[in-house]
Structures are given as structure tokens and as C-alpha cells.
Amino acid sequence: MTPLEILNAATSGAPAPRIPIFCNLPDHGARELGMPAKEYFSMGEYVADAQLRMLRRYGYDNIWSLHYVGKEAELLGCREILFADDGVPNVADFVIKNLDDIAKFDIPADITQHPAWQPIADCMRILRTEVGATHPICAYITASTTLPAILMGMDKWMELFLLGPFDIRDELLRKCSDFFQQEIAALRALGANVLIYSSPFGSPYFVSRKQIEHIVMPWMQRDLLPGGSEGVVYYCGMAPFNDVIDLVFDELHIKSHHISPLADIAEAKRLINTRGLTCGVIDDIKMIHWSAEQTRAEVKRIIEIGKTGGHFLFGNGVMPLAVPEANILAMVDAAFEYGRLE
């Protein structure tokens, strides 16, 4: 079976020789090609080349099209990204500097015509040609309720989200949801079939359950309304969300859940059961200091909890650059060893 077939089997509960094994290395490409981060991210061909090289070397199942989260801000007017060769690119120019800017803030009529979209499209076309028929292609999309954080800063967004003015908050959310609908449709058209729906505000770790039910959930429903939830993975930026799993099934119909390392994986598997896919996630921040043996032991623990009864995937969060390569190799090797089903 191909990796894509194994993923589909895990999602549906069909027989397969092993569980799907994901490894997320979106920030490692510049090092892989031996070039500065700013140069690396300037061309989709570079990103695709690095992702394909790492896929061949490590042998995991998925491949990433993500450049960096700030790319979404660039599509909406951000003029400066801060690149670092030992870290993640960050937004250095907020599009929204004060509340008056929200009324003037416009979503492009067609984001695929924006120059910042071209590297994404170029990368996706290469990945689709090379492995689209055999491997899951992952893309990252920020939920409307979280996108304002990279447009105006988390502190200002939290204040607006919680304290208002609520008419201005909802105007910004509507515009962000319009952007989301464009972006997810464009990524699907390019061949992305695993869509990581990043919604930290969908976790009770960030806001209350009542706020999730009455504020966040309706906007997420709007985000997903045009194209549905096929291929969408519920992801809260590594924050736990076991308490809202049933709500996500009922209101959003999302079947794949990226479970936080801070959550009880056994509880999550029980809640999801055979309704969808439980993605058991190793704490890759701790992997910075673990030995290869400690990494293998944690992989074994997670998989032994999750794989019984199927409907399970093993993966990581967003692998820090500081994690030793020996630990990445140990993680992937152990996942293949302990993830066998036959």
C-alpha cells in the first residue's frame, strides 16, 4: 500500500499493514539545502526540493507545502518578514496597527494573483507531480479566529476578541473568514489533501468553553461552509482540546484530530473511537534534550495506547530545529517498528 492508501485506511478503519507515520519538518528545508532562510523561502522550487529530499531520507508518509505562517500575512499586506537561520520566520510588520485600520483592511479579490502566492503554487505543483498520487500533501491554513493574531499581534487581538468593540471584532473576523475560504479552496485546487486547520482559539486552553461555543464555533462553521471538512485536521497549535472533541464532531464534522502532547491520548482515542482519526503526537520540544532511547520509548508508549482498534496516526508537532537528527531518525524508525498492524 502507498502512504496515501495507508492514511485513507486508517481514516476509514480498513485493514492496513501499519499505521500512518507523519513527520513535520517545515522549518528544516533551508538547512537541508545549505542556504540562508530568506533565499530558501524565496522560491517554491527550493521548498519542494528540500521536502522531497527529507521525505526520501527519513521515509515517513507525508510531505509539507507550508513555507511559513507569516506568508498569510504577506498575502494580506505585510511588508516585512524577519528571517532567521536558526529559527522560524516571523511577521515584522503588522498589517493592522490600530482599530481604525480594520475598516480600511481589504481582502484581495483573488489571492492566487498576489506575488506572494507564486512560491506556494510552484511548490505545490512540483509536489503534486512527484508524489501526489502516492503521498499525503499537507497544507496549513489559519482559522479566521486566529489569523488576526498575525495581522495585529496577539495582545491587541486578545483585547479586541474579549473586550470589543464587538462590531469591529466581527468585521475583522468576517474579512478573515473570507480570506480563509479563498485560501483553502486554492490549496485544494493545487492538490493539498491534508489541511491543517490551525485554531488555537478552538481550545479551552485559550478561551472558555462558552466562548468556543458561542463565538469561535460559528466562525469556524463559516470558514468551512463552502468546501466542507473533507481532509481537514483539527489542530489547536499543540494546545489540548479533548473537552471539545464531541463539539467539533457535531458542529464542524471534522474527523481527524491532532491531539496535543499535553492531553490524555487514551481519553482522546476513547472520545474519537471509530468516528474518525486520532493523531497521537510526540512532544518534540522535549526531544531537544532527550536521548534517542528516550525518544524511542515515548514513541512506543504513544503507539501502544493508540493503535489498538485502528483509526490512529502517529506524528509530531512542528519539529524544532534544535532537535538532534539522531532523535528524528529514532522517532521515525520506532514508529515504523511499533506501528505495525500485521
Side-chain angles (χ1 to χ4, degrees), residues 177-221:
S177 185
D178 289 346
F179 172 80
F180 177 94
Q181 291 178 1
Q182 273 202 64
E183 186 182 21
I184 194 170
L187 289 166
R188 279 175 165 146
L190 288 169
N193 48 22
V194 176
L195 301 151
I196 309 301
Y197 184 36
S198 179
S199 182
F201 282 74
S203 164
Y205 183 87
F206 278 85
V207 294
S208 70
R209 163 115 186 183
K210 182 177 180 180
Q211 288 165 327
I212 292 173
E213 290 180 0
H214 296 287
I215 304 173
V216 177
M217 197 59 61
W219 285 106
M220 290 198 288
Q221 288 173 323

Side-chain angles (χ1 to χ4, degrees), residues 23-38 40-41 46-47 50-51 54 57-58 60 63-71 81-90 140 235 284-285 316-323 328:
C23 182
N24 306 321
L25 304 173
D27 301 322
H28 290 63
R31 180 185 296 174
E32 180 72 19
L33 299 187
M35 62 175 57
K38 188 173 183 178
Y40 168 71
F41 286 115
Y46 294 153
V47 175
Q51 289 296 321
M54 291 187 289
R57 182 164 78 252
Y58 293 112
Y60 45 76
I63 196 160
W64 268 96
S65 64
L66 174 67
H67 287 53
Y68 45 88
V69 177
K71 176 67 74 172
I81 297 293
L82 180 64
F83 292 95
D85 293 331
D86 59 352
V88 179
N90 278 296
Y140 179 102
Y235 168 70
D284 46 21
I285 294 177
N316 68 299
V318 180
M319 191 73 71
L321 286 166
V323 173
I328 300 174

Side-chain angles (χ1 to χ4, degrees), residues 197-307:
Y197 184 36
S198 179
S199 182
F201 282 74
S203 164
Y205 183 87
F206 278 85
V207 294
S208 70
R209 163 115 186 183
K210 182 177 180 180
Q211 288 165 327
I212 292 173
E213 290 180 0
H214 296 287
I215 304 173
V216 177
M217 197 59 61
W219 285 106
M220 290 198 288
Q221 288 173 323
R222 187 183 189 277
D223 288 350
L224 298 170
L225 183 62
S229 60
E230 182 67 29
V232 173
V233 179
Y234 196 77
Y235 168 70
C236 291
M238 303 298 280
F241 60 89
N242 282 13
D243 289 348
V244 297
I245 284 175
D246 285 335
L247 185 66
V248 172
F249 269 105
D250 293 342
E251 302 295 332
L252 302 178
H253 312 294
I254 295 176
K255 296 180 179 179
S256 297
H257 298 252
H258 190 278
I259 303 302
S260 167
L262 302 176
D264 183 334
I265 185 66
E267 178 190 50
K269 182 67 189 294
R270 177 182 58 79
L271 288 167
I272 296 167
N273 201 356
T274 59
R275 292 186 293 174
L277 184 67
T278 302
C279 306
V281 176
I282 194 169
D283 190 334
D284 46 21
I285 294 177
K286 290 181 179 178
M287 284 175 62
I288 295 171
H289 304 293
W290 280 346
S291 66
E293 291 73 22
Q294 288 173 306
T295 300
R296 286 183 57 85
E298 180 63 1
V299 173
K300 181 181 180 182
R301 184 189 73 83
I302 293 169
I303 292 178
E304 287 185 346
I305 292 172
K307 78 173 185 179

Side-chain angles (χ1 to χ4, degrees), residues 7-225:
L7 174 62
N8 290 336
T11 303
S12 67
R18 60 173 176 81
I19 64 171
I21 296 160
F22 277 30
C23 182
N24 306 321
L25 304 173
D27 301 322
H28 290 63
R31 180 185 296 174
E32 180 72 19
L33 299 187
M35 62 175 57
K38 188 173 183 178
E39 179 185 1
Y40 168 71
F41 286 115
S42 68
M43 295 184 65
E45 291 88 342
Y46 294 153
V47 175
D49 182 24
Q51 289 296 321
L52 288 165
R53 290 188 189 198
M54 291 187 289
L55 178 68
R56 288 190 289 266
R57 182 164 78 252
Y58 293 112
Y60 45 76
D61 289 333
N62 64 313
I63 196 160
W64 268 96
S65 64
L66 174 67
H67 287 53
Y68 45 88
V69 177
K71 176 67 74 172
E72 292 173 318
E74 285 184 300
L75 291 166
L76 293 170
C78 171
R79 293 170 294 183
E80 183 181 359
I81 297 293
L82 180 64
F83 292 95
D85 293 331
D86 59 352
V88 179
N90 278 296
V91 171
D93 167 54
F94 288 128
V95 177
I96 298 169
K97 297 177 174 61
N98 56 66
L99 295 185
D100 291 338
D101 288 339
I102 293 173
K104 298 177 286 186
F105 172 60
D106 290 320
I107 305 301
D110 183 355
I111 63 170
T112 67
Q113 299 305 305
H114 194 292
W117 183 261
Q118 193 60 50
I120 300 172
D122 292 340
C123 174
M124 283 292 305
R125 290 188 185 102
I126 293 169
L127 297 182
R128 187 176 189 174
T129 298
E130 294 292 326
V131 298
T134 55
H135 289 70
I137 299 177
C138 299
Y140 179 102
I141 316 102
T142 304
S144 59
T145 49
T146 299
L147 185 60
I150 65 171
L151 300 178
M152 63 191 301
M154 180 61 86
D155 54 345
K156 290 183 179 178
W157 172 233
M158 285 295 293
E159 182 178 348
L160 180 59
F161 180 87
L162 295 173
L163 302 177
F166 298 128
D167 58 335
I168 295 176
R169 178 196 69 186
D170 290 349
E171 180 184 4
L172 178 56
L173 285 169
R174 178 185 56 77
K175 292 179 178 181
C176 289
S177 185
D178 289 346
F179 172 80
F180 177 94
Q181 291 178 1
Q182 273 202 64
E183 186 182 21
I184 194 170
L187 289 166
R188 279 175 165 146
L190 288 169
N193 48 22
V194 176
L195 301 151
I196 309 301
Y197 184 36
S198 179
S199 182
F201 282 74
S203 164
Y205 183 87
F206 278 85
V207 294
S208 70
R209 163 115 186 183
K210 182 177 180 180
Q211 288 165 327
I212 292 173
E213 290 180 0
H214 296 287
I215 304 173
V216 177
M217 197 59 61
W219 285 106
M220 290 198 288
Q221 288 173 323
R222 187 183 189 277
D223 288 350
L224 298 170
L225 183 62

